[in-house]
Amino acid sequence: MSDQEAAAADGEKKLSKKELNKLAKKAKKMELTQQKGPSANDASGDKEEDVSVGCYGSYGLVQSTDEKDIVFTELNVINKDLANKEIWVRGRVHTTRSTGKSCFLVLRHKVHTIQVGLFKGDLVSKQMVKFVGAIPKESIIDIQAKVVVAEQEVSACTQKEMELHPIQVFTVGAVFRAEDSNTHRHMTEFVGLDLEMAFKFHYHEVMRTIGDVLINVFKGLQKEYAHEIAAVGQQYPAEPFEFCEPALVLKYADAVAILRESGEEIGDEEDLSTPLEKKLGRLVKDKYKTDFYILDKFPLAVRPFYTMPDPHDARYSNSYDMFMRGEEILSGAQRIHDPTFLTERAKHHNIELDKIQAYIDAFRYGCPPHAGGGIGMERVTMLFLGLHNIRLSSMFPRDPKRITP
């Protein structure tokens, strides 16, 4: 006879049948709990119901799987005007302090910080408080929170009156190419505009931003420098540069289809040669009336190892090129920001890991999903003005055959 059965027998005269059944069920439940060990929802063995399921957790690897329609608020604009409103913010975990039923977290973005308070309650579980309190410092997190006026000044944060409850954008400089740059669009020295931009959920956020920037450059040149453009055109006649707003975006597969319709033979995952780029530019101009367009989703096989693969089709990648008058001016992509995945892709390309270890290790300290690209200023100038050679857009062009003046 078990201890529970003995206890039931001793108290048989005092306990009703209903109470005895209740004791038996409780004993059986304890026995099953001991066999299964801690609850799957809480490694500590806490069997309290998690009322916050679905309200916290990790995104996992951000691979630009889909786009999200979320507007984020910058920390520096959070003030009393936003009191009692719900907002989304993104930043890094600066510090955390947890007391079991509450957790205070300082969120940092750029040079601004704000306090986030989380308290166990009807909608916030103990498990959620524990999860937030265990987030490592410098982690990048998103929070949907209510803006409230702090009961007392938060001296440790830049936003002292308010609290929340629940890297960009570039380098401009000289670039040197140790290559046999003897084409009409290459030089051994040029001005490079290189940029990397953090995005929230999808690399198209970066791609569209770059496209918008270039369109605004084109508009500004046509508005502010019409006289200079006309002067150049007198010596080097060219059709005026045309573009549409927003920028035309074509998928690589669609570009291949356009070339095939014109009689070209090209494989689905084959890279574009210079003659094919120029022909595609002419076909796009005829069809869409624009000299500027973006080609998206290049085949993964023709991109560098650090390019993020397309999450929906392994043949393609989260990468893009931008073209003016049928010539490439920018090559960009979502970079792999996860060190484990980056190592895997490097091995796939047979790259010696010891030679890029410092690059891989840089991502172990926390890096947001990001994308970017590199632009050659002289090439953009050449193509905008319709010049036939990049050397005409540089004051002191440098190539393998020219080093003076």
Side-chain angles (χ1 to χ4, degrees):
M1 181 180 291
S2 67
D3 293 340
Q4 289 82 6
E5 291 172 328
D10 290 340
E12 190 173 6
K13 295 180 180 178
K14 299 180 181 179
L15 298 176
S16 67
K17 185 176 182 180
K18 182 178 181 180
E19 291 171 324
L20 287 172
N21 287 336
K22 191 173 181 180
L23 277 175
K25 287 181 180 179
K26 185 175 181 180
K28 185 65 176 179
K29 186 175 181 180
M30 289 179 63
E31 183 181 348
L32 289 173
T33 300
Q34 291 171 353
Q35 290 175 356
K36 291 181 179 180
S39 168
N41 291 330
D42 184 2
S44 68
D46 187 351
K47 294 174 286 298
E48 181 178 314
E49 181 185 1
D50 189 350
V51 296
S52 302
V53 170
C55 296
Y56 67 96
S58 172
Y59 286 130
L61 179 62
V62 177
Q63 200 174 347
S64 297
T65 304
D66 52 28
E67 300 188 56
K68 297 181 185 295
D69 187 19
I70 296 178
V71 177
F72 287 85
T73 300
E74 296 290 326
L75 300 190
N76 63 305
V77 302
I78 297 176
N79 54 37
K80 290 183 178 180
D81 293 337
L82 294 177
N84 298 316
K85 294 183 178 179
E86 288 191 358
I87 62 172
W88 277 92
V89 292
R90 171 171 289 187
R92 290 182 181 269
V93 176
H94 192 64
T95 60
T96 56
R97 51 189 176 91
S98 182
T99 61
K101 292 188 177 182
S102 64
C103 177
F104 288 92
L105 177 152
V106 173
L107 189 71
R108 184 186 80 246
H109 181 57
K110 298 179 181 177
V111 298
H112 302 285
T113 53
I114 192 167
Q115 179 170 272
V116 182
L118 191 68
F119 309 95
K120 182 180 178 298
D122 294 339
L123 300 177
V124 177
S125 67
K126 182 179 180 181
Q127 293 92 327
M128 182 176 179
V129 174
K130 182 178 180 181
F131 174 87
V132 173
I135 296 176
K137 290 182 180 180
E138 299 302 318
S139 296
I140 299 169
I141 62 173
D142 292 348
I143 302 175
Q144 184 181 28
K146 182 179 181 181
V147 181
V148 299
V149 179
E151 293 183 1
Q152 58 185 26
E153 183 180 279
V154 185
S155 59
C157 296
T158 63
Q159 307 308 93
K160 301 183 183 301
E161 296 182 335
M162 313 303 295
E163 63 182 6
L164 303 179
H165 288 182
I167 135 189
Q168 301 179 17
V169 188
F170 61 91
T171 300
V172 177
V175 179
F176 302 91
R177 298 172 66 100
E179 298 179 10
D180 192 15
S181 304
N182 287 303
T183 75
H184 76 285
R185 63 179 186 179
H186 288 93
M187 293 192 295
T188 54
E189 179 183 344
F190 61 92
V191 177
L193 294 84
D194 294 333
L195 60 98
E196 297 291 335
M197 172 181 162
F199 60 83
K200 300 297 191 285
F201 297 106
H202 202 287
Y203 75 97
H204 281 176
E205 299 167 32
V206 179
M207 186 184 77
R208 292 192 188 106
T209 297
I210 299 173
D212 290 344
V213 167
L214 286 168
I215 284 176
N216 278 285
V217 168
F218 303 151
K219 290 166 65 176
L221 288 172
Q222 291 179 342
K223 180 180 179 181
E224 304 294 334
Y225 297 94
H227 178 74
E228 289 82 354
I229 293 171
V232 172
Q234 289 181 354
Q235 186 169 358
Y236 301 100
E239 291 291 323
F241 188 79
E242 289 188 80
F243 55 92
C244 57
E245 190 174 7
L248 171 67
V249 179
L250 289 176
K251 287 190 175 181
Y252 193 86
D254 296 330
V256 168
I258 291 174
L259 287 168
R260 286 174 178 166
E261 289 173 3
S262 71
E264 297 291 341
E265 294 183 4
I266 178 174
D268 291 342
E269 300 177 59
E270 185 179 339
D271 201 2
L272 294 178
S273 63
T274 299
L276 284 179
E277 284 184 355
K278 291 183 176 181
K279 183 171 184 178
L280 179 62
R282 293 193 295 271
L283 294 170
V284 168
K285 177 66 177 292
D286 291 341
K287 187 173 183 178
Y288 298 101
K289 309 303 179 187
T290 178
D291 286 310
F292 174 65
Y293 74 96
I294 301 171
L295 201 54
D296 189 26
K297 295 293 181 185
F298 270 73
L300 183 62
V302 302
R303 305 302 270 201
F305 77 96
Y306 50 76
T307 304
M308 182 68 78
D310 185 315
H312 303 295
D313 191 333
R315 297 175 300 167
Y316 297 99
S317 63
N318 293 349
S319 65
Y320 46 86
D321 280 3
M322 299 188 183
F323 295 83
M324 293 174 62
R325 299 189 195 263
E327 297 196 45
E328 175 253 309
I329 61 162
L330 174 146
S331 184
Q334 178 184 357
R335 325 294 191 189
I336 296 175
H337 57 283
D338 177 78
T340 302
F341 192 28
L342 189 60
T343 300
E344 179 185 318
R345 292 299 302 166
K347 289 179 179 177
H348 176 80
H349 283 258
N350 296 316
I351 295 174
E352 297 180 42
L353 296 181
D354 59 333
K355 293 184 178 180
I356 62 167
Q357 198 59 54
Y359 175 74
I360 294 175
D361 288 343
F363 293 94
R364 301 188 190 282
Y365 299 100
C367 181
H370 63 287
I375 307 170
M377 188 181 73
E378 289 88 348
R379 189 180 295 186
V380 171
T381 303
M382 172 190 75
L383 294 169
F384 180 81
L385 295 173
L387 304 175
H388 67 276
N389 196 296
I390 195 171
R391 289 155 187 80
L392 296 174
S393 62
S394 174
M395 183 70 74
F396 301 107
R398 294 289 181 261
D399 59 34
K401 297 178 182 178
R402 177 173 175 170
I403 58 173
T404 59

